[in-house]
């Protein structure tokens, strides 16, 4: 067992974990952040995307012990005071989801993208979310939502 | 889905890491960004007893200017390399290759040294490093040695780094003013290339003065297309002249056959992608 301390969605947490525990397992099973989901076994789908120290990562491909001392934001930490984050609102408005399974990761990656590039072209949005797979929407409305959020301050997380 | 159990150490200095590696020998594995290692451990293709994390060793991170060379610390992330202006100015080929490596999330965690140490023949950084004549600085308990790019890649997933050694930094001879292009052929987003060509060209007016061309996934290691390099010298940077020279791109290669294409298909791809890469690098 290894002792880890980190901040998850603004709250300090500390636990003894097996070194082999993945960050996504830690978030879901120990911290109860089940908004972050697991969609694949190969680190391809991006459904598990969270921010670690301000950068998007696939939490199925990070060990919990590697996040020791870090700051994690999950999809559950985006809304402030009951107000949806502009990116969440844009996904809602633009109908950017169907089954919704890819959505938590898609939104976390989209927020990261706007931090690096506040006004991306359609092509840049498509490239920026290339590590996130959606089996339902055909991406069209997702791209629209990201560009809509870009017009309304979607980068401020 | 979940790796087998292992013990874990996160040393804060290179010396501590080397000592831990010497103590645990074969049973230990280094983790850098984990972007290649964790998928392997999760599929249980490997089950080390001890995992030694380099993530807390600050001295292995960062990019510095050292006269004729740029020095990239092994633990520098792909994202940092991609956005670094000195790399773009002095080793543009690296910037071009890293820009489309994997996806944004993987680039935030994966490291320059980790990708080169992993030595996947389809990895995007080997051919650029080889083409630029990079030098690999490798530390062991007995001290530090430097290995030339030509001697670094030994076989599939095998490099000159010994079991008890750590790659600390990569020294890249500056290629200031050289044009560069990485032409990656892939069928789906965020994946390894079926074949890719790394080209960097020093053009003088419309004439190619010097060219360096590296091939990805055309054998068990990255390869230099030396016949192409020689044929390009003194040629005009025109479609016809470059096509002629690029015809030799598959010479001396031994590409794999797999579901993405057989060896003949890859040999053909190599000539096409070499033409495109050289023309783009020469600005033509
Ligand atoms: C979905 C996905 C898509 C990807 N697509 C691409 C792609 O398109 N192109 C591409 O090139 N790569 C791709 N990768 C791999 C990516 O480049 C990895 O980041 C990289 O190969 C490994 O770097 P790392 O720091 O994560 O190393 P790790 O995974 O931590 O380590 C890899 C190996 O190198 C060893 N090692 C690491 N650092 C050192 C060191 N300093 N000294 C000695 N040994 C060391 C480790 O022991 C391990 O065996 C992809 C990965 C994923 C998961
Ligand atoms: S669950 Fe992490 S990438 Fe699919
Ligand atoms: S909405 Fe179903 S996977 Fe994207």
């Amino acid at each position: 067992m290894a002792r880890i301390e980190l901040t998850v969605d603004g709250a300090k947490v500390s636990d003894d974990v097996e070194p082999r525990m993945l960050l996504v397992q830690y978030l879901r099973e120990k911290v109860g952040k089940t908004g972050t989901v697991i969609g694949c076994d190969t680190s391809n789908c991006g459904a598990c995307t969270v921010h670690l120290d301000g950068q998007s990562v696939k939490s199925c491909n990070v060990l919990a012990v590697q996040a020791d001392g870090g700051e994690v934001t999950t999809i559950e930490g985006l809304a402030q005071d009951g107000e949806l984050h502009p990116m969440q609102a844009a996904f809602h408005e633009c109908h950017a989801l169907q089954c919704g399974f890819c959505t938590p990761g898609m939104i976390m990656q989209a927020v990261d993208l706007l931090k690096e590039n506040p006004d991306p072209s359609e092509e840049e949005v498509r490239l920026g979310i290339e590590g996130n797979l959606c089996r339902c929407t055909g991406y069209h409305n997702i791209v629209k939502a990201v560009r809509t959020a870009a017009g309304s301050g979607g980068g401020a997380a | 889905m979940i790796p087998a159990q292992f013990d874990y150490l996160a040393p804060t200095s290179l010396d501590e890491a080397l000592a831990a590696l010497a103590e645990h020998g074969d049973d230990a594995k280094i983790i850098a960004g984990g972007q290649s290692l964790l998928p392997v451990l999760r599929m249980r293709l490997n089950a080390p007893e001890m995992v030694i994390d380099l993530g807390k060793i600050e001295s292995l991170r960062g990019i510095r200017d050292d006269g004729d060379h740029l020095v990239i610390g092994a633990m520098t992330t792909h994202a940092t390399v991609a956005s670094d202006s000195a790399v773009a100015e002095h080793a543009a080929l690296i910037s071009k290759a890293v820009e489309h490596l994997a996806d944004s999330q993987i680039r935030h965690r994966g490291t320059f040294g980790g990708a080169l140490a992993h030595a996947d023949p389809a990895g995007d950084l080997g051919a650029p490093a080889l083409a630029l004549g990079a030098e690999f600085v490798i530390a062991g308990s007995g001290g530090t040695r430097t290995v030339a790019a030509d001697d670094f890649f030994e076989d599939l997933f095998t490099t000159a780094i010994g079991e008890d050694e750590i790659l600390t930094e990569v020294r890249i001879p500056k290629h200031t003013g050289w044009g560069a292009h990485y032409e990656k052929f892939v069928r789906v987003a965020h994946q390894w290339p079926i074949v890719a060509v790394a080209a960097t060209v020093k053009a003088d007016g419309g004439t190619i003065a010097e060219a360096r061309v590296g091939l990805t996934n055309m054998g068990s290691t990255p390869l230099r297309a030396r016949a192409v390099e020689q044929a390009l010298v003194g040629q005009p940077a025109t479609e016809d002249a470059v096509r002629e020279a690029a015809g030799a791109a598959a010479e001396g290669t031994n590409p794999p056959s797999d579901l993405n294409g057989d060896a003949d298909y890859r040999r053909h791809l190599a000539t096409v992608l070499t033409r495109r890469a050289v023309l783009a690098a020469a600005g033509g």
Side-chain angles (χ1 to χ4, degrees):
Chain A
M1 288 291 190
R3 187 84 189 158
I4 58 168
E5 285 182 35
L6 58 162
T7 306
V8 179
D9 293 338
K12 292 233 178 289
V13 291
S14 74
D15 278 290
D16 290 317
V17 297
E18 282 188 337
R20 64 169 169 166
M21 181 176 250
L22 305 172
L23 179 59
V24 69
Q25 270 181 292
Y26 177 71
L27 292 172
R28 289 175 56 83
E29 294 168 20
K30 289 266 194 179
V31 196
K33 298 286 181 183
T34 49
T36 301
V37 296
I38 302 172
C40 74
D41 260 349
T42 53
S43 297
N44 277 291
C45 79
C48 64
T49 301
V50 300
H51 297 176
L52 174 57
D53 297 326
Q55 291 191 313
S56 62
V57 301
K58 292 179 171 178
S59 61
C60 71
N61 216 19
V62 178
L63 296 169
V65 286
Q66 288 179 293
D68 180 33
E71 194 165 318
V72 175
T73 306
T74 76
I75 186 71
E76 297 187 31
L78 277 192
Q80 297 294 326
D81 307 322
E83 282 268 326
L84 288 184
H85 183 280
M87 188 64 73
Q88 291 173 305
F91 268 61
H92 177 70
E93 273 157 36
C94 298
H95 195 64
L97 56 138
Q98 290 177 26
C99 81
F101 203 80
C102 69
T103 312
M106 204 60 95
I107 288 180
M108 295 312 285
Q109 179 52 28
V111 171
D112 182 276
L113 169 66
L114 293 199
K115 229 183 290 173
E116 287 173 16
N117 180 358
D119 188 21
S121 66
E122 176 177 340
E123 177 68 16
E124 287 168 340
V125 173
R126 288 183 185 274
L127 266 179
I129 59 170
E130 71 175 326
N132 294 70
L133 305 181
C134 175
R135 302 305 299 268
C136 303
T137 64
Y139 301 96
H140 189 76
N141 284 356
I142 293 177
V143 176
K144 199 158 105 189
V146 179
R147 299 199 68 204
T148 301
S152 62
Chain B
M1 179 67 223
I2 298 161
Q5 281 190 350
F6 52 76
D7 289 326
Y8 172 83
L9 282 175
T12 52
S13 74
L14 181 63
D15 286 345
E16 278 174 77
L18 287 170
L21 206 49
E23 185 186 337
H24 296 278
D26 277 6
D27 301 330
K29 199 84 185 125
I30 284 176
I31 189 166
Q35 299 306 292
S36 292
L37 184 65
L38 287 175
V40 167
L41 298 190
R42 279 155 48 209
M43 284 184 275
R44 307 245 175 152
L45 298 174
N46 195 340
E49 280 168 26
M50 167 64 74
V51 170
I52 301 169
D53 188 351
L54 303 184
K56 292 200 155 78
I57 308 178
E58 280 310 316
S59 63
L60 296 180
R61 252 179 242 286
I63 298 164
R64 62 172 211 276
D65 193 303
D66 187 21
D68 293 341
H69 290 76
L70 268 189
V71 185
I72 303 182
M75 288 297 291
T76 311
T77 63
H78 300 317
T80 300
V81 172
S83 62
D84 189 86
S85 56
V87 176
E89 185 180 351
H90 302 298
L93 189 53
I94 302 281
S95 307
K96 301 274 179 180
V98 88
E99 187 185 356
H100 296 296
L101 181 154
D103 57 46
S104 161
Q105 293 98 314
I106 307 284
R107 290 194 296 271
H108 285 146
R109 294 287 303 166
T111 66
F112 194 70
L116 290 164
H118 189 56
D120 185 333
D124 285 308
L125 296 181
L130 185 66
L132 291 171
E135 295 158 12
F136 294 78
V137 182
I138 300 171
S141 36
T144 295
R145 64 198 179 99
T146 300
V147 175
D150 285 334
D151 303 320
F152 181 74
F153 299 100
E154 295 184 344
D155 203 348
L156 292 171
F157 302 103
T158 310
T159 69
I161 306 171
E163 296 254 311
D164 55 351
E165 291 183 315
I166 293 175
L167 174 66
T168 58
E169 58 192 30
V170 182
R171 299 173 56 82
I172 317 238
K174 285 185 183 170
H175 283 64
T176 317
W178 288 51
H181 188 77
Y182 189 70
E183 184 76 17
K184 175 168 173 172
F185 189 81
V186 66
R187 285 186 302 119
V188 292
H190 79 97
Q191 284 299 334
W192 291 263
I194 297 169
V195 173
V197 176
T200 190
V201 172
K202 190 174 164 190
D204 193 0
T207 304
I208 295 172
E210 240 183 293
R212 288 166 164 259
V213 180
L215 307 174
T216 306
N217 218 10
M218 285 297 289
S220 56
T221 64
L223 297 170
R224 280 276 288 277
R226 291 188 195 271
V228 177
E229 295 177 357
Q230 280 154 18
L232 285 169
V233 174
Q235 294 296 320
T238 59
E239 174 94 24
D240 284 347
V242 172
R243 181 194 305 275
E244 173 84 24
E251 234 171 62
T253 64
N254 185 18
S257 288
D258 57 29
L259 285 177
N260 283 316
D262 61 21
D264 279 343
Y265 174 69
R266 282 193 162 87
R267 283 193 195 96
H268 174 68
L269 264 183
T271 63
V272 175
L273 303 179
T274 297
R275 169 172 53 83
R276 291 184 194 159
V278 170
L279 280 171

